[in-house]
Amino acid sequence: MLYKKRLMTPGPTEVPPTVLAQGGQPIIHHRTPQFRKVLTEVVAGLKRIFNTENDTLVFPAAGTGGMESAIVNLCSPGDAILVAACGNFGNRWTNIAKAFGVESEHYEVDWGQAVDPKEIEKRLAANPKITAVFITLSETSTGVESDVQTIGAIVAKTSAVLVVDAISGMGAIPMKTDEWKVDVVVVGAQKGLMIPPGLAMVSISKKAWDLAKIAKLPKFYFSWEKSQKSMVAEALANTPYTPSVSLLMQLAESIRLIEEEGIEAIWERHAKMGAATRAAMEALGLKLFATGRPSNAVTSVRVPEGVDGGKLFKTVRDTYGITLAGGQGQVKGKIFRIGHLGYADDWDVISAVAAIERALLEQGYKVELGKGLAAAEKVLFG
Ligand SMILES: Cc1ncc(COP(=O)(O)O)c(C=O)c1O
C-alpha cells in the first residue's frame, strides 16, 4: 500500500512537523503582549534570514500580493520601469504594472536562459528616467537563477531601485539583500520558509522608501506606510489589520529551525540537492531546460520525445506518491519540474529520481534502471 506522499513541487513545499504543530495551537488575540512577542520575533528573524537591516513587513497574502505591494508603493502613472524577465513570474511584474496603468520596458530572454546584467546596464544607461528595475531571484517556471549580485551592483550606481522577487529563492539559495544592494525583496511563505501558503514578506531600503514617498498609484490594504507605522515605527509591534496569527506562529518556529541549521548550511544543502537532481536527469539521457544558471531550488527537465509529460507526472504522483510540477505558459507539456526546496533532503531526491526512472520505463523510454540513482548518489554521498 502506498501511504507516504511527497510534495516535490516548487511551492507549496512540505512543512516540518514542529511547524505544523504550531498551526494547531489555540488562537491568540492579536492586540495582546503574547502576539506582539511573536511578531517582534518574526520580524527580527526575517531580517537575519534576508540578510538585511531594512524595514521588513509581513502581509497576509499570496506572494503575488507582495509583488503588487511593490508596484503600487513604488510607481506613479507614466513612470518608466524596467522588468527583466526569464519566465512566467518575471512576466508577472509586467502584468501587475499594466493592471495599474504603468507600461514597463519589458526585457525578456528565451525561457531557460538567465537575464543578462549587461543588457540591464545598457537599458538603464539608455533611459535614465527608469525609476525601478524588477527581477526574479529564482524563476520557478523555468528553473533559472538570476545573477542578483551583479545586477545589484549595476542598479546601485543609478537612481533606480532594484526589486527582487525572491518568493521561491529565499531560504533555498543565496540572497544577501544588503551586501548585494537590493532595495526591495518580496518573499512568499510556502517555499523555502517552510510554512503553509498565505504570507507575503517585503523588505524595503531607504532608497526605496524615498521613492515610495512620491509614488502616486492608489493603495490601501498594501500600503507600506500604514504597515510600517504599525509594525515598526510605533513602540508596540502591531499590524493595521487582523494578521494571520497561526501562520506567524508557524513562521516563528520555521525561523527557529532555519537558524538552528544555519542559512549557509541550508544553501549548501540545496546546492547539493540541485546538483544531484541535474546529474541524475542527465545520466538518464534527459535534457535540462535551464541552460544558463540553473536554480538549486527547482530543476526543470525537457519531456523527451515519445514520452507523454502529463502521463509521466500522473504516474509519479499516483503510483509513487510524489507530486512534481508540470510546465507553465509556453512550456506547458514540454517540461516537468522537480522542486527540491525547503523541508527537503537527499532522500526526497533519491525517491523522486527512482520514481521518474520507473515512470519513464513504463512509457517505453529506454532507461537503465538505477543509472540516474547512481549519478545522484555520487553527488550526495560521494
Ligand atoms: C518566483 C515566484 N514568483 C511569484 C510566485 C507567486 O506566488 P503566489 O502564488 O504565492 O502568489 C511564485 C509562486 O509560485 C514564484 O515561484
Side-chain angles (χ1 to χ4, degrees), residues 7 23 56 67 69 72 98 100 114 117 131 140 143 173 208 214-215 225 228 241 265 327 339 346 348 365:
L7 184 57
T56 302
M67 295 174 76
S69 86
V72 297
K98 212 179 262 173
F100 285 92
T131 53
T140 317
I173 63 174
I214 54 165
E225 195 188 350
Q228 198 264 357
Y241 317 110
D346 300 348
D348 292 310
Y365 178 78

Side-chain angles (χ1 to χ4, degrees), residues 137-186:
L137 170 64
S138 176
E139 176 47 80
T140 317
S141 66
T142 60
V144 169
E145 182 187 344
S146 297
D147 183 355
V148 176
Q149 183 173 12
T150 304
I151 298 168
I154 290 166
V155 179
K157 284 193 230 132
T158 72
S159 58
V161 299
L162 177 62
V163 184
V164 178
D165 164 0
I167 289 172
S168 68
M170 187 65 81
I173 63 174
M175 178 68 211
K176 301 182 179 175
T177 304
D178 291 357
E179 194 182 316
W180 293 353
K181 303 183 167 49
V182 180
D183 296 293
V184 176
V185 176
V186 180

Side-chain angles (χ1 to χ4, degrees), residues 19-42:
V19 176
L20 282 174
Q22 280 301 312
Q25 290 294 313
I27 299 294
I28 52 177
H29 196 273
H30 53 290
R31 309 292 181 212
T32 59
Q34 293 97 308
F35 176 74
R36 288 191 178 118
K37 185 166 175 285
V38 174
L39 186 62
T40 306
E41 255 177 52
V42 162

